[in-house]
Amino acid sequence: MAASSLNKTKIIKKTKKHVDRYQCDRFNRVAKSWRKPTGIDGRIRRKYRGLPRMPKIGRGSNKKTRHLLPNGLKKFVIENEKDLDVLLMNNRTYCAELAQGVSAKKRASIVEKAKAMNVAVTNGHARVKKQSAE
């Protein structure tokens, strides 16, 4: 059983839609990442009716709950058993997530060690061979 989270604040994710830069769909030279329009005649900057709105500071998540998973813990990527030792004192703030390149054999030993250390693992069930009932 993994330790419970210290965070008791309700997690509210305000918005997930990424705001694209104005006219990024029209020109390849205009990247998708948001840039504030600065032109003297810019319709977006002047906030004309019927045009996309610029993002505001209120779009962000609560600082206490930012980067939290639904279980109330933050994610920490583990690549070997040694990385797991970092979470020994922080098992109520962070949970382990096994990296994509970790093999099935090492994955099983890391999950076993995490259970002994009382550290939550988000993807501990991945790449595990099912035992046959014999």
Side-chain angles (χ1 to χ4, degrees):
M1 178 73 189
S4 63
S5 169
L6 287 174
N7 180 47
K8 300 299 177 199
T9 311
K10 187 176 181 193
I11 301 169
I12 298 171
K13 304 288 184 191
K14 285 190 184 174
T15 181
K16 292 186 177 186
K17 187 175 184 299
H18 179 261
V19 180
D20 290 338
R21 187 175 175 183
Y22 181 55
Q23 291 191 336
C24 72
D25 55 333
R26 293 186 64 196
F27 304 106
N28 285 333
R29 64 179 179 262
V30 179
K32 272 194 160 194
S33 58
W34 173 254
R35 298 287 184 272
K36 186 172 169 41
T38 56
I40 55 171
D41 294 328
R43 304 182 319 164
I44 300 288
R45 182 189 60 77
R46 291 163 69 187
K47 300 177 181 149
Y48 276 24
R49 188 175 59 179
L51 292 168
R53 294 164 70 181
M54 290 196 287
K56 295 184 176 149
I57 197 70
R59 286 176 52 92
S61 299
N62 185 349
K63 196 182 270 189
K64 289 180 184 174
T65 62
R66 195 174 298 156
H67 306 298
L68 288 184
L69 299 172
N71 63 5
L73 300 170
K74 293 182 181 178
K75 190 189 323 185
F76 186 81
V77 179
I78 302 289
E79 294 185 349
N80 52 44
E81 284 192 32
K82 193 176 174 188
D83 290 346
L84 206 55
D85 297 336
V86 178
L87 299 181
L88 182 62
M89 299 299 290
N90 299 314
N91 62 351
R92 297 189 66 193
T93 311
Y94 291 92
C95 65
E97 179 166 301
L98 299 172
Q100 184 182 356
V102 179
S103 67
K105 189 163 71 169
K106 288 206 173 140
R107 204 172 270 262
S109 65
I110 290 173
V111 169
E112 196 175 304
K113 185 176 179 184
K115 194 175 238 180
M117 291 172 57
N118 203 15
V119 173
V121 181
T122 58
N123 58 349
H125 58 277
R127 287 196 211 168
V128 178
K129 286 187 179 177
K130 296 199 165 81
Q131 299 289 332
S132 60
E134 289 182 21

